Amino acid sequence: MSADNGRRARRSRREAPAGLDYATPRHGSAFTRLRRTSGLSFMDLHRPSGHLTLSGAVRGELRKMFSLRSTWVLLLIVMLLQPLTTGLMACAPRVLAGLGRQTSQYPAHLMPASSDVFWSAVAAGLFPAMIVAGVLGVLALTREFSGATIESTLTANPRRGMVLMAKGFVLALLTWLAAQVGLLLSWILATLLLSVGSGTSSASRPGLALIDLLGGPLMLVLFALMGLGLGALSRSKAGGIGLFLGLTLILPLILGLLRGLIPHVGWLQIPFRLTPTSLLVTFLSGLGRTAEAGRGWWPTWWQAGMIMMVWTALCCALGTLVFRRADIG
């Protein structure tokens, strides 16, 4: 009997289900599923937690910029400064003439103008809008430093290069839209206030309309991105705006004064012509001024655009280098 009981006990132990073994992973466990996904691609295995992507960072920056009142105000100023400046330039000849005999023969709402004067009036608003676009670029990043929200931004997305790239993309898009709408409004207003006489179009400036209407907003985007790079370089509102105004206003003023006060310094004309503001003037004019200047080198309109791109790339590269390596505090 005892032998039979022993055989039945051994049989029951073999047939009884084994207890849960937490040390050995079973089929369908997390460890087994991880082993089955070992063939993922290199990008999937090295993707950071949260699956950070550039498109997601751009959407976040869009929501952030749209939620700020200062963004809307500055973009509205960029858009409205252009038709306002065009209207002032169109009405200036009538005011200066005092409605004399030179203008009395024309309709009250229409003033004669050459093609160069017409397009100069259309694109004149880009110069004050240039300053506002640069300030917008500086504030796109520095207001997070002043508001102590940059730590939250970098906690959500620790890739600083991606953060700066997303800000630049959103800034470029919004600046281009505001500048393009404002320039179209300027063109419509100049068409209503000025008349271009037949045969007054300058043959030496072909494509001036396309350069101003399509290239002008792109130049404004470059100034905004320059402001973003200078803001990342200084990480403060006052410092970024000071650097931008120094490059666009103070530097050309100093070079112009030195060129006029000190004789025999003709070489100062070249750095003066390479300043961002002078490049914008050259670009909007549609050609170089070698014939007008009489001596020296003056960049053509496409060369001015390329040099302006170099200015912007240099500012953005320096800003990115400092932003990625400096401590946030």
Side-chain angles (χ1 to χ4, degrees):
M1 295 295 295
S2 60
D4 295 337
N5 292 335
R7 286 194 296 271
R8 283 196 296 267
R10 286 193 296 271
R11 190 183 302 113
S12 63
R13 283 196 300 267
R14 287 196 300 268
E15 295 176 356
L20 293 178
D21 187 2
Y22 295 100
T24 304
R26 297 294 178 180
H27 177 74
S29 64
F31 181 80
T32 308
R33 290 195 299 269
L34 181 60
R35 293 184 61 185
R36 287 202 304 267
T37 58
S38 59
L40 292 175
S41 64
F42 177 81
M43 294 299 295
D44 290 336
L45 285 175
H46 290 77
R47 183 176 296 175
S49 60
H51 301 285
L52 299 176
T53 59
L54 180 60
S55 60
V58 169
R59 289 194 298 269
E61 292 299 330
L62 273 174
R63 289 192 294 266
K64 188 184 303 182
M65 294 194 72
F66 281 152
S67 63
L68 297 173
R69 184 180 302 175
S70 60
T71 301
W72 293 100
V73 172
L74 292 175
L75 289 175
L76 190 63
I77 292 175
V78 169
M79 184 175 62
L80 295 182
L81 267 179
Q82 301 179 66
L84 178 61
T85 307
T86 299
L88 292 176
M89 290 193 64
C91 296
R94 182 186 305 170
V95 175
L96 295 177
L99 294 178
R101 290 183 299 174
Q102 295 180 355
T103 59
S104 59
Q105 56 183 332
Y106 300 104
H109 66 283
L110 204 60
M111 296 293 295
S114 66
S115 177
D116 293 343
V117 172
F118 178 85
W119 289 111
S120 296
V122 171
L126 291 173
F127 294 95
M130 166 195 72
I131 305 298
V132 183
V135 172
L136 176 62
V138 172
L139 295 181
L141 180 64
T142 56
R143 57 189 164 197
E144 294 201 38
F145 283 95
S146 62
T149 60
I150 188 64
E151 295 182 0
S152 302
T153 300
L154 296 181
T155 300
N157 188 353
R159 292 185 173 183
R160 300 189 182 186
M162 181 186 294
V163 171
L164 204 59
M165 188 181 300
K167 287 182 179 294
F169 182 83
V170 173
L171 176 66
L173 177 62
L174 297 181
T175 304
W176 177 80
L177 287 175
Q180 191 68 69
V181 172
L183 199 60
L184 291 177
L185 292 177
S186 299
W187 176 55
I188 295 173
L189 186 61
T191 304
L192 296 176
L193 296 178
L194 299 172
S195 64
V196 182
S198 60
T200 59
S201 216
S202 177
S204 62
R205 300 189 180 186
L208 184 60
L210 293 179
I211 293 174
D212 289 346
L213 289 179
L214 300 181
L218 295 179
M219 289 291 285
L220 224 60
V221 169
L222 294 180
F223 279 95
L225 293 177
M226 177 189 292
L228 178 65
L230 294 176
L233 181 63
S234 64
R235 297 185 298 163
S236 68
K237 293 181 180 180
I241 294 176
L243 287 175
F244 181 80
L245 294 180
L247 281 177
T248 56
L249 296 181
I250 300 177
L251 180 60
L253 180 61
I254 293 176
L255 292 177
L257 290 176
L258 291 177
R259 188 181 58 177
L261 294 177
I262 304 176
H264 309 294
V265 286
W267 58 270
L268 284 177
Q269 295 180 359
I270 295 180
F272 175 78
R273 294 166 183 173
L274 296 180
T275 57
T277 305
S278 181
L279 292 173
L280 180 62
V281 175
T282 304
F283 182 86
L284 295 177
S285 67
L287 80 165
R289 298 186 179 182
T290 305
E292 299 177 14
R295 65 182 186 276
W297 172 79
W298 201 293
T300 59
W301 68 271
W302 65 268
Q303 290 174 344
M306 296 295 292
I307 298 172
M308 188 62 210
M309 291 177 64
V310 173
W311 271 106
T312 304
L314 179 62
C315 294
C316 290
L318 292 176
T320 302
L321 182 64
V322 173
F323 181 67
R324 294 184 64 178
R325 297 194 175 188
D327 293 334
I328 304 299

